[in-house]
Amino acid sequence: MSPVLRPRPSGGSRILGVGSRQPDRVVTNAELCAGLDTSDEWIRQRVGISERRFADSNESLIDMAVQAGKNALADAGVSPESVDTVIVPNCSMQAQIPNAAARVAHRIGIPDAGAFDLNAGCSGFCYGLAVASDLVRAASARYVLVIGAEKLTDFVDPLDRTTAVIFADGAGAVLVGASGTTEIGPVVWGSAGEQAEKLRLNENRYVQQAGNTIFRWAITRMPSAAVQALDAVGLTPADMDVLLPHQANLRIIKATEEALRMQGMRDDVIVADDIKCSGNTSAASIPIAFDHMRKESRVKSGDIVVAVAAGAGLTYAGQVFVCP
């Protein structure tokens, strides 16, 4: 007779708290234009950024992740000792071993945590949130801290206008816990490994990308992932309150918004556009933008939020959750 495992309790999951950390240094287009063959007008028209945040040499990815994680715990009113798992989506750790998550957990004061990094590029936060939700629902974890954190300026050639004007640094975090109802929907995700040659680190470990190719791929994948994620929880674009796209490029955000409006998204839906002042922070962009929106009262508890991402990392993801 085959052994039978005792079933573990399962239920719903929800976001309990949100927090972020951005470097203090604000870098304007004018500052970048002083050393690049570009202009403020070109940057605003092509990517929609007016300023971004750069970390100095004394602030690491770990430092930003720690502060964002602490802020999320404070927002949730949960002590570090109660957390048992830490996930740090990122693609910009200088050293892969030891991972960021274990170091972040230690510095926050989370004892003996399950801890791992997750590299899915710009979709990293959605991937991390999906894993956290499933861990909680399966009772493998009680509280999971998900911290998207990036120090992309370590991998950007300051003389390359195709990347130097886009990427920035920062961290955003959410705490995921159990819920009697389903407040985090299933993830819709995928990848495009066949396009691997379109994005790489060169011999100097600087990011190089075929921007137009990734742009075209992203504006196709993001709207479809959003619709599929809504369908997975029995909703349509008409039911959403907030569109929370990865802050990659304002033209990608606008294209995604327009595509969803054609499929029934209401005119009063709030669309995150943090790209204007934060730049592209890859796996950190969605939680940073969400934290800013909550602090500015642009979103409210109970709102239906659709988070969606595609881009560097050649992955995409869409997920629906309820605003805490």
Side-chain angles (χ1 to χ4, degrees), residues 222-295:
M222 286 176 62
S224 63
V227 172
Q228 291 174 53
L230 284 160
D231 184 64
V233 293
L235 300 177
T236 71
D239 298 307
M240 63 193 292
D241 300 305
V242 180
L243 175 60
L244 185 57
H246 162 53
Q247 303 295 291
N249 178 310
L250 191 59
R251 291 189 299 145
I252 293 176
I253 293 172
K254 292 297 184 183
T256 301
E257 178 183 355
E258 290 171 7
L260 289 172
R261 291 202 189 282
M262 292 179 65
Q263 299 186 65
M265 189 177 83
R266 305 188 315 271
D267 290 340
D268 64 345
V269 168
I270 304 299
V271 181
D273 58 358
D274 213 56
I275 182 75
K276 296 176 181 178
C277 59
S278 294
N280 181 339
T281 53
S282 192
S285 80
I286 288 178
I288 289 175
F290 188 48
D291 189 42
H292 288 175
M293 294 176 81
R294 288 181 76 231
K295 288 176 178 175

Side-chain angles (χ1 to χ4, degrees), residues 21-36 38 43 47 49-61 63-64 150-171 206 275-282 288:
R21 163 63 190 171
Q22 290 180 284
D24 296 328
R25 181 187 171 194
V26 176
V27 179
T28 65
N29 289 345
E31 181 177 344
L32 288 179
C33 291
L36 291 171
T38 188
I43 297 171
V47 293
I49 301 174
S50 57
E51 62 183 38
R52 71 286 290 149
R53 302 293 185 98
F54 285 3
D56 62 29
S57 59
N58 295 320
E59 185 168 26
S60 68
L61 182 155
D63 295 329
M64 292 183 287
E150 303 284 9
K151 191 176 180 184
L152 293 165
T153 52
D154 284 343
F155 296 89
V156 170
D157 182 350
L159 300 179
D160 178 6
R161 77 169 187 171
T162 65
T163 57
V165 302
I166 298 173
F167 295 111
D169 305 325
Y206 288 144
I275 182 75
K276 296 176 181 178
C277 59
S278 294
N280 181 339
T281 53
S282 192
I288 289 175

Side-chain angles (χ1 to χ4, degrees), residues 230 240-244 290 299-300 302-307 319-324:
L230 284 160
M240 63 193 292
D241 300 305
V242 180
L243 175 60
L244 185 57
F290 188 48
V299 297
K300 62 184 184 299
D303 279 349
I304 301 298
V305 182
V306 178
Q319 196 159 24
V320 179
F321 63 84
V322 178
C323 179

Side-chain angles (χ1 to χ4, degrees), residues 15-255:
I15 294 175
L16 302 172
V18 187
S20 64
R21 163 63 190 171
Q22 290 180 284
D24 296 328
R25 181 187 171 194
V26 176
V27 179
T28 65
N29 289 345
E31 181 177 344
L32 288 179
C33 291
L36 291 171
D37 180 20
T38 188
S39 67
D40 174 69
E41 180 182 11
W42 186 91
I43 297 171
R44 288 175 185 266
Q45 288 181 347
R46 298 296 295 176
V47 293
I49 301 174
S50 57
E51 62 183 38
R52 71 286 290 149
R53 302 293 185 98
F54 285 3
D56 62 29
S57 59
N58 295 320
E59 185 168 26
S60 68
L61 182 155
I62 303 293
D63 295 329
M64 292 183 287
V66 167
Q67 190 57 58
K70 287 181 176 180
N71 291 343
L73 289 175
D75 185 50
V78 173
S79 68
E81 293 79 12
S82 298
V83 178
D84 45 35
T85 308
V86 176
I87 305 172
V88 179
N90 77 88
C91 61
S92 55
M93 272 289 287
Q94 289 276 21
Q96 299 301 306
I97 301 175
N99 68 25
R103 296 159 66 183
V104 169
H106 169 70
R107 285 185 48 186
I108 291 177
I110 301 171
D112 197 27
F116 59 93
D117 291 9
L118 191 160
N119 185 350
C122 299
S123 302
F125 174 77
C126 289
Y127 273 55
L129 180 62
V131 172
S133 175
D134 287 351
L135 287 172
V136 168
R137 295 188 65 190
S140 294
R142 183 183 179 196
Y143 292 111
V144 182
L145 189 57
V146 182
I147 312 171
E150 303 284 9
K151 191 176 180 184
L152 293 165
T153 52
D154 284 343
F155 296 89
V156 170
D157 182 350
L159 300 179
D160 178 6
R161 77 169 187 171
T162 65
T163 57
V165 302
I166 298 173
F167 295 111
D169 305 325
V174 298
L175 181 69
V176 177
S179 172
T181 57
T182 299
E183 298 187 28
I184 301 176
V187 69
V188 171
W189 55 16
S191 61
E194 71 278 4
Q195 298 194 52
E197 74 281 359
K198 305 300 183 182
L199 178 74
R200 68 184 186 92
L201 293 182
N202 65 17
E203 60 277 5
N204 296 318
R205 291 182 59 78
Y206 288 144
V207 174
Q208 289 187 328
Q209 63 178 359
N212 288 334
T213 300
I214 294 175
F215 173 87
R216 289 192 295 270
W217 178 71
I219 63 174
T220 299
R221 285 301 184 186
M222 286 176 62
S224 63
V227 172
Q228 291 174 53
L230 284 160
D231 184 64
V233 293
L235 300 177
T236 71
D239 298 307
M240 63 193 292
D241 300 305
V242 180
L243 175 60
L244 185 57
H246 162 53
Q247 303 295 291
N249 178 310
L250 191 59
R251 291 189 299 145
I252 293 176
I253 293 172
K254 292 297 184 183

